């Protein structure tokens, strides 16, 4: 592990830090370094000091990431807690930093008397993650509501970018190399506060009734293939309840994998691979994972 001395920082840097507590699957080995920035300016100062040879990995709530058991080389930056500013710029626009939870953004928008972002209450991650993968649920997608974004480079430079700078598709966003999302500007539509808050409660009730909330999982594991639902294909292949080690396919929703009993990341990764292979063999449909797998092999 490379030893580096960072100066003039207000955030917290941790060496050889286990990542299991930063991921919703509750698995994963240590990172060489973890940085918890105090705010966006502090993050900029930190990045100016990170060697160009050091890999950088980003985590928000860790809900769409599988960290391998041997851990992660370089530095892992945790956006939750530090990049947490959420403000109304004007009656038509909200600025939310990358560490703000998607659910918090949804409720904030609703309380302003706006509509359109209610679906984000069902996304189990942060604004940064939602922007990075065009997260969506209940018929809504993140980038359909984006006015502009702020990114940060390896050198700590913050840029304001328009939608035209990105190629956005279903659960996929192509961004400039070595630039990461640090804030999103979301446009608002006039609505009714009480109706929007009611709609959020209904969506969350539906989510609780159909998904294994309250368990150690990452959200949806696979993208929905064109013309299909991944969960339905997995269920039709008889894979609900299938175990590998301590990991199992949820009985409640087959597109969720649960850390049922002290699973390792290797258990989960093998189960992802196994489910994909069986679905391909039985249906001819290739499932593409939504989850991002990081770390040493």
């Amino acid at each position: 592990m490379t030893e580096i001395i960072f100066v003039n920082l207000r955030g917290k840097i941790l060496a050889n830090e286990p990542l299991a507590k930063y991921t919703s699957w509750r698995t994963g080995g240590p990172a060489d370094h973890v940085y918890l920035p105090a705010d966006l300016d502090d993050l900029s100062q930190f990045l100016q000091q990170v060697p160009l040879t050091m890999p950088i990995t980003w985590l928000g709530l860790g809900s769409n990431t599988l960290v391998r058991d041997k851990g992660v080389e370089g530095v892992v930056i945790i956006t939750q807690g530090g990049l947490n500013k959420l403000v109304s710029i004007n009656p038509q626009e909200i600025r939310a930093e990358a560490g703000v939870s998607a659910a918090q953004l949804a409720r904030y928008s609703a309380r302003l008397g706006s509509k359109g972002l209610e679906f984000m209450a069902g996304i189990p991650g942060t604004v940064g993650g939602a922007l990075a993968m065009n997260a969506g649920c209940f018929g809504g997608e993140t980038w359909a509501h984006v006015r502009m974004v702020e990114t940060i480079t390896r050198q700590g430079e913050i840029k304001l970018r328009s939608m035209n700078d990105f190629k956005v598709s279903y659960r996929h966003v192509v961004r400039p190399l070595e630039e990461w999302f640090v804030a999103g500007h979301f446009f608002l539509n006039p609505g009714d506060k009480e109706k929007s808050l009611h709609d959020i409660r209904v969506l969350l009730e539906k989510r609780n009734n159909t998904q294994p909330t309250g368990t150690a999982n990452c959200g949806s594991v696979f993208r929905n293939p064109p013309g299909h639902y991944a969960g339905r294909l997995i269920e039709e292949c008889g894979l609900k309840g299938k175990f590998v080690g301590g990991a199992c396919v949820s009985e409640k929703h087959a597109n969720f994998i649960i850390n049922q009993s002290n699973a390792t990341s290797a258990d989960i990764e093998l189960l992802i691979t196994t489910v994909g292979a069986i679905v391909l063999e039985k249906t001819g449909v290739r499932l593409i994972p939504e989850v991002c797998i990081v770390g040493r092999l």
Side-chain angles (χ1 to χ4, degrees):
M1 181 175 69
T2 305
E3 184 175 353
I4 306 168
I5 298 175
F6 297 96
V7 297
N8 299 323
L9 298 176
R10 291 176 288 114
K12 182 183 293 186
I13 187 151
L14 306 169
N16 199 34
E17 174 74 354
L19 292 173
K21 62 184 177 182
Y22 299 100
T23 67
S24 59
W25 255 323
R26 300 292 180 257
T27 66
D32 291 347
H33 304 278
V34 163
Y35 192 63
L36 306 169
D39 53 32
L40 186 52
D41 288 338
D42 179 63
L43 175 60
S44 175
Q45 290 293 320
F46 174 72
L47 286 172
Q48 291 173 41
Q49 300 178 54
V50 174
L52 293 178
T53 56
M54 177 175 282
I56 298 175
T57 303
W58 295 72
L59 282 179
L61 288 170
S63 57
N64 192 51
T65 305
L66 178 64
V67 176
R68 290 189 170 113
D69 299 307
K70 292 184 179 180
V72 178
E73 181 183 0
V75 62
V76 174
I77 296 171
I78 309 294
T79 61
Q80 187 196 20
L83 305 189
N84 59 2
K85 289 187 172 60
L86 176 60
V87 297
S88 173
I89 295 176
N90 58 56
Q92 290 81 40
E93 186 174 342
I94 291 174
R95 177 184 181 270
E97 290 188 343
V100 173
S101 75
Q104 184 183 358
L105 173 59
R107 292 190 178 95
Y108 183 79
S109 172
R111 291 187 183 111
L112 291 175
S114 302
K115 65 179 180 180
L117 296 181
E118 294 89 343
F119 76 94
M120 294 194 79
I123 296 174
T126 58
V127 167
L131 289 170
M133 65 170 291
N134 191 24
C137 62
F138 302 123
E141 286 191 333
T142 300
W143 277 81
H145 303 272
V146 172
R147 185 184 296 277
M148 62 185 70
V149 297
E150 296 171 36
T151 63
I152 195 166
T153 68
R154 274 202 76 110
Q155 292 73 34
E157 179 186 1
I158 299 169
K159 296 185 176 184
L160 187 63
R161 288 192 174 275
S162 74
M163 291 183 62
N164 295 331
D165 294 326
F166 304 90
K167 185 177 179 181
V168 179
S169 57
Y170 173 69
R171 302 296 180 269
H172 186 66
V173 178
V174 179
R175 57 177 168 79
L177 186 64
E178 296 208 310
E179 282 188 34
W180 299 277
F181 297 111
V182 290
H185 294 239
F186 298 85
F187 61 81
L188 304 177
N189 295 310
D192 178 84
K193 174 182 174 180
E194 295 307 321
K195 183 180 185 308
S196 292
L197 289 172
H198 170 75
D199 289 346
I200 287 174
R201 288 192 293 270
V202 171
L203 289 175
L204 290 178
E205 184 177 350
K206 179 180 178 181
R207 178 172 173 247
N208 289 336
N209 289 337
T210 59
Q211 299 176 12
T213 55
T215 66
N217 70 82
C218 80
S220 297
V221 174
F222 297 99
R223 302 179 190 177
N224 287 323
H228 299 277
Y229 290 102
R232 190 171 297 167
L233 289 171
I234 297 166
E235 182 176 357
E236 289 172 354
C237 291
L239 295 173
K240 273 189 171 182
K242 181 173 180 59
F243 271 86
V244 169
C248 75
V249 176
S250 169
E251 293 277 7
K252 196 169 188 179
H253 192 309
N255 199 18
F256 287 70
I257 288 176
I258 299 170
N259 180 350
Q260 185 78 20
S261 178
N262 298 316
T264 64
S265 292
D267 292 340
I268 296 169
E269 187 169 0
L270 180 55
L271 186 53
I272 292 171
T273 302
T274 301
V275 167
I278 292 173
V279 170
L280 178 61
E281 179 185 359
K282 291 190 174 183
T283 71
V285 178
R286 185 179 301 276
L287 295 179
I288 299 174
E290 283 189 19
V291 62
C292 179
I293 301 175
V294 300
R296 299 179 176 94
L297 291 169

